[in-house]
């Protein structure tokens, strides 16, 4: 920030800030504090009676097999989304970064899933795996003779939800990897090339380490995405089913808060998510210089 | 770096294969949107487009009230994107040209903190707040809570920091007040950032799902993403995937067009930020 004041106005900066600060106070800070507050109460479904229960909601939460399973499932889901998504996108971006004619056309095609919503990605993949007539189901039947049905196969359902979630993030990840690659000085790669490093060696010795800030940033963003942004995808594709096979934390929160209306219990879930996102954010600020992120 | 011919061909081939895999679902969704009712549930599936696209779109338009939904989504996305741009330019200006006024760092942290508070963290109380404001099922609920933008504030702040301070001094000496300086000097420099932010935020709001799902209760207030859910619910029993896909394609076109228009601006605004 400019250390000295360029304009002597005393009141003006507060006026300029007030629109943002009012919105943040009313719609972010107060509701979050209330989430934390409510997590210590048992509230009747209509919200008219509340009893202070201390940490009881959290005890209930971590003693609930359904919640613990959902937590584990979310971790598996998020890990898969991050690992598959980032490795695939890094390779694609490295290929797209070659100085070859026609690359800009390829680039446009690879980044445009950025514009697709999780709900639409879910719809399209539900079509691909539609048990009766889906093309992937057809392909599997053609190759192996087996009929697959993810509507009654929990593991398959989770796998397909992962595929859809990764697919939706391709554009975002490729955009950031391309920007990261463009920041790598070509002299470095040329020097490595003169030293006799072939393409694969160059990738592992030069490109991969120099991309690590981007990778770390994308790791955080993809984790946040896998935890918070996939609600629409799950709601469209599986509604958490079959059984609870794809019920990730944010879906469980919605169900407990808006369908079963267990407010204290759902608030405790919000607080757990808050702790999680706080840890990720602290990591982000501590280990990267890059403080701007899109989301 | 020099790339040799054989390598070039290899890169083309590998990228083309990957592209086919990545694009196939969208291609198939498009094919499905063009099929007749009968062809839409044939097995083996049809892989070539037919001529029923307009008819299916009309059907989706009617059955999900797509016109209204598209209007709602476009309206709230544009309002939120513009508000975010205005709010964050004002905030960024406050942070960069007025020295260390009291509370500056507190306010700055408050704005940053919004990144740590995604909707699920404050879901129930925010909903209660809407009830208290009597905003449930209104455009207010769909727009106002989204007006602040940490991303935007940081983006513009970073840009304003690169503007030489002497420009502001010169403006002051010439008798121009801060708002005139903002309007005549900083805003013209911010076009790239505005374009990038417009794209990001338009897409973000257009694609938002959880909040509209819980905060809208009547068909007239629904947004396009929820329309897809409604189409699925009403058409899936009949397996009318052709109509569902026609609706889906309509729902994904606007953000896509935005991306194509602003792609260059977006990448520029973004790489500028990367240099830091």
């Amino acid at each position: 920030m400019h250390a000295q004041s360029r304009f002597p106005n005393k009141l003006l900066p507060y006026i300029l800030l007030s629109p943002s600060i009012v919105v943040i106070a009313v719609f972010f800070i107060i509701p979050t504090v209330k989430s934390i507050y409510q997590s210590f109460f048992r509230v009747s479904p209509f919200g008219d009676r509340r009893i202070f229960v201390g940490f009881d909601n959290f005890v209930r939460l971590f003693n609930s097999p359904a919640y613990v399973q959902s937590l584990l499932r979310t971790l598996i889901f998020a890990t898969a989304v991050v690992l598959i998504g980032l490795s695939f996108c890094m390779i694609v971006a490295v290929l797209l970064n070659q100085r070859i004619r026609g690359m800009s056309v390829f680039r446009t095609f690879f980044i445009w899933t950025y514009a697709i919503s999780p709900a639409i990605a879910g719809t399209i993949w539900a079509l691909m795996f539609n048990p009766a007539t889906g093309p992937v189901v057809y392909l599997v039947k053609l190759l192996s003779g087996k009929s697959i049905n993810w509507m009654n196969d929990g593991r398959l359902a989770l796998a397909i939800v992962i595929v859809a979630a990764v697919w939706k993030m391709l554009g975002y990840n490729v955009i950031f990897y391309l920007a990261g690659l463009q920041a790598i000085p070509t002299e470095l790669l040329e020097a490595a090339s003169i030293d006799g490093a072939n393409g694969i060696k160059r990738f592992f010795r030069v490109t991969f380490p120099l991309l690590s800030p981007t990778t770390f940033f994308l790791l955080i963003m993809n984790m946040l995405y896998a935890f918070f942004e996939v609600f629409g995808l799950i709601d469209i594709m599986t509604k958490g089913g079959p059984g609870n096979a794809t019920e990730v934390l944010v879906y469980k929160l919605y169900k407990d808060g808006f369908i079963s209306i267990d407010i204290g219990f759902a608030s405790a879930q919000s607080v757990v998510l808050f702790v999680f996102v706080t840890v990720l954010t602290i990591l982000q600020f501590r280990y990267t210089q890059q403080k701007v992120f899109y989301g | 770096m020099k790339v040799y011919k054989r390598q070039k061909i290899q890169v083309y081939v590998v990228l083309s294969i990957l592209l086919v895999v990545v694009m196939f679902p969208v291609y198939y969704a498009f094919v499905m949107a063009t099929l007749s009712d009968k062809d839409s549930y044939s097995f083996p599936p049809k892989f070539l487009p037919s001529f029923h696209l307009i008819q299916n779109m009309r059907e989706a338009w009617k059955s999900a009230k797509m016109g209204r939904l598209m209007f709602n989504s476009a309206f709230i996305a544009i309002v939120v994107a513009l508000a975010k741009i205005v709010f964050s330019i004002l905030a960024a200006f406050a942070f960069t040209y007025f020295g260390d006024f009291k509370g500056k760092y507190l306010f700055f942290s408050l704005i940053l903190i919004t990144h740590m508070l995604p909707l699920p963290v404050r879901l129930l109380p925010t909903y209660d707040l809407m009830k208290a404001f009597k905003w449930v099922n209104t455009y207010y609920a769909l727009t106002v809570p989204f007006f602040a933008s940490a991303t935007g504030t940081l983006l513009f702040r970073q840009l304003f920091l690169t503007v030489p301070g002497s420009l502001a001094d010169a403006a002051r000496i010439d008798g121009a007040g801060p708002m005139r300086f903002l309007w005549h000097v900083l805003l013209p420099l911010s076009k790239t950032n505005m374009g990038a932010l417009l794209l990001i935020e338009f897409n973000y709001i257009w694609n938002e799902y959880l909040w509209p799902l819980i905060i809208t209760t009547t068909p007239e207030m629904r947004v396009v993403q929820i329309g897809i859910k409604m189409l699925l619910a009403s058409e899936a029993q009949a397996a009318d995937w052709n109509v569902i896909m026609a609706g889906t394609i309509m729902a994904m076109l606007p953000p896509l067009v935005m991306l194509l228009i602003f792609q260059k601006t977006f990448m520029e605004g973004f790489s500028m930020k990367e240099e830091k």
Side-chain angles (χ1 to χ4, degrees):
Chain A
M1 300 187 193
H2 293 193
Q4 85 235 58
S5 172
R6 298 291 174 177
F7 294 105
N9 309 51
K10 287 276 172 283
L11 194 59
L12 190 59
Y14 297 102
I15 298 172
L16 293 170
L17 280 174
S18 56
S20 292
I21 296 299
V22 168
V23 167
I24 289 165
V26 174
F27 300 107
F28 285 80
I29 308 295
I30 293 173
T32 305
V33 172
K34 204 174 158 205
S35 262
I36 297 169
Y37 175 78
Q38 271 179 347
S39 70
F40 295 109
F41 287 84
R42 186 161 290 179
V43 189
S44 70
F46 298 105
D48 50 352
R49 280 180 304 129
R50 56 182 72 222
I51 313 162
F52 181 78
V53 292
F55 285 95
D56 196 36
N57 285 321
F58 294 95
V59 174
R60 259 207 303 159
L61 207 56
F62 288 101
N63 282 325
S64 145
Y67 184 76
V68 174
Q69 268 172 27
S70 173
L71 180 64
L72 290 175
R73 199 176 295 123
T74 310
L75 290 174
I76 294 171
F77 173 77
T79 310
V81 167
V82 167
L83 284 182
I84 301 170
L86 294 196
S87 45
F88 184 79
C89 293
M90 192 191 281
I91 294 167
V92 169
V94 167
L95 292 174
L96 285 174
N97 198 42
Q98 310 289 324
R99 292 223 186 116
I100 309 181
R101 200 181 311 154
M103 274 306 129
S104 62
V105 179
F106 271 108
R107 249 174 240 169
T108 305
F109 276 114
F110 272 106
I111 67 175
W112 76 280
T113 60
Y114 169 73
I116 290 182
S117 74
I120 288 176
T123 317
I124 291 177
W125 282 95
L127 169 73
M128 297 298 289
F129 281 90
N130 173 27
T133 60
V136 180
V137 174
Y138 170 68
L139 198 69
V140 170
K141 185 150 196 182
L142 209 64
L143 294 177
S144 72
K146 276 187 225 150
S147 300
I148 53 168
N149 186 351
W150 61 297
M151 307 259 183
N152 56 30
D153 180 345
R155 284 187 168 201
L156 184 61
L158 187 60
I160 292 171
V161 169
I162 289 170
V163 169
V166 168
W167 183 77
K168 187 260 161 293
M169 275 303 262
L170 287 178
Y172 185 91
N173 293 337
V174 168
I175 289 172
F176 278 84
Y177 268 133
L178 275 174
L181 283 167
Q182 260 138 40
I184 296 180
T186 43
E187 301 90 65
L188 267 178
L189 291 166
E190 267 161 16
S193 179
I194 290 164
D195 287 346
N198 62 16
I200 291 170
K201 240 186 191 161
R202 272 204 308 273
F203 174 76
F204 281 109
R205 297 270 168 83
V206 183
T207 311
F208 186 81
L210 285 177
L211 272 184
S212 57
T214 312
T215 303
F216 184 75
F217 164 77
L218 284 176
L219 178 110
I220 305 262
M221 294 316 287
N222 278 261
M223 283 296 249
L224 289 174
Y225 161 76
F227 266 76
F228 296 105
E229 304 290 319
V230 294
F231 178 86
L233 192 147
I234 303 275
D235 192 45
I236 291 269
M237 291 185 84
T238 63
K239 298 207 175 354
N244 296 322
T246 56
E247 193 177 270
V248 292
L249 289 179
V250 59
Y251 204 80
K252 185 160 174 52
L253 167 66
Y254 164 75
K255 266 172 73 178
D256 289 342
F258 284 93
I259 295 171
S260 327
I261 317 190
D262 191 343
I263 292 166
F265 199 53
S267 298
Q269 294 183 31
S270 278
V271 172
V272 174
L273 287 174
F274 177 58
V275 170
F276 176 80
V277 76
T278 306
V279 170
L280 277 185
T281 312
I282 290 171
L283 283 176
Q284 163 113 23
F285 277 91
R286 180 159 286 187
Y287 295 106
T288 59
Q289 297 306 307
Q290 185 176 352
K291 289 189 178 152
V292 176
F293 37 95
Y294 291 179
Chain B
M1 189 172 3
K2 240 191 165 152
V3 185
Y4 296 101
K5 199 166 178 196
R6 226 190 62 202
Q7 279 177 312
K8 266 190 202 176
I9 294 171
Q10 284 172 347
V11 171
Y12 276 132
V13 170
V14 174
L15 276 178
S16 304
I17 294 170
L18 293 177
L19 192 63
V20 168
V21 174
V22 168
M23 295 292 284
F24 182 74
V26 181
Y27 168 75
Y28 185 70
F30 171 74
V31 169
M32 180 52 81
T34 67
L35 297 179
S36 67
D37 286 354
K38 190 168 147 287
D39 283 348
S40 72
Y41 43 89
S42 77
F43 194 81
K46 305 266 189 234
F47 289 107
L48 290 173
S50 174
F51 306 100
H52 298 82
L53 181 63
I54 304 292
Q55 187 192 326
N56 291 334
M57 283 193 161
R58 212 174 277 159
E59 167 88 35
W61 190 273
K62 230 175 43 204
S63 118
K65 297 201 174 63
M66 281 302 256
R68 177 74 193 203
L69 303 188
M70 299 275 275
F71 171 79
N72 285 345
S73 287
F75 177 71
I76 63 168
I78 288 168
V79 168
V80 171
L82 292 180
K84 275 183 187 257
I85 289 173
V86 173
F87 280 36
S88 52
I89 284 180
L90 294 180
F93 186 47
F95 285 132
T96 45
Y97 282 90
F98 296 90
D100 286 322
F101 55 90
K102 217 176 190 179
K104 179 175 178 177
Y105 290 94
L106 171 72
F107 291 135
F108 193 62
S109 324
L110 273 179
I111 289 182
L112 285 189
I113 249 175
T114 57
H115 268 314
M116 288 168 56
L117 306 174
L119 185 61
V121 166
R122 53 199 161 85
L123 190 61
L124 298 170
T126 314
Y127 180 78
D128 289 341
L129 197 65
M130 295 297 121
K131 275 204 293 200
F133 286 1
K134 300 210 168 23
W135 278 9
V136 174
N137 206 35
T138 64
Y139 288 123
Y140 295 115
L142 289 167
T143 53
V144 180
F146 296 94
F147 280 177
S149 171
T151 303
T153 307
L154 289 170
L155 208 62
F156 287 114
R157 175 181 160 267
Q158 217 159 317
L159 173 77
F160 294 168
L161 285 177
T162 64
V163 178
S166 53
L167 267 179
D169 294 339
R172 203 185 55 229
I173 291 160
D174 285 350
M179 292 318 279
R180 271 187 68 185
F181 174 71
L182 175 65
W183 186 260
H184 289 290
V185 179
L186 293 183
L187 278 197
L189 293 171
S190 308
K191 279 187 190 139
T192 307
N193 276 4
M194 285 189 215
L197 202 62
L198 187 67
L199 170 76
I200 296 163
E201 304 300 356
F202 180 90
N203 281 5
Y204 168 59
I205 296 296
W206 183 277
N207 291 338
E208 178 65 37
Y209 183 94
L210 175 58
W211 184 242
L213 178 70
I214 60 178
I215 209 66
T216 62
T217 52
T218 59
E220 304 82 65
M221 287 309 294
R222 279 194 194 117
V223 300
V224 120
Q225 304 295 328
I226 309 301
I228 303 292
K229 182 187 164 90
M230 298 298 146
L231 266 181
L232 267 169
S234 66
E235 306 283 340
Q237 272 87 9
D240 282 342
W241 280 100
N242 52 350
V243 177
I244 298 169
M245 283 304 139
T248 304
I249 285 174
M250 283 190 266
M252 74 187 186
L253 273 182
L256 209 57
V257 171
M258 287 285 284
L259 179 67
L260 293 178
I261 294 175
F262 285 107
Q263 186 186 346
K264 221 174 146 237
T265 324
F266 178 55
M267 298 297 260
E268 272 169 24
F270 169 68
S271 56
M272 193 165 64
K273 174 213 105 179
E274 280 285 286
E275 275 162 22
K276 192 191 158 184

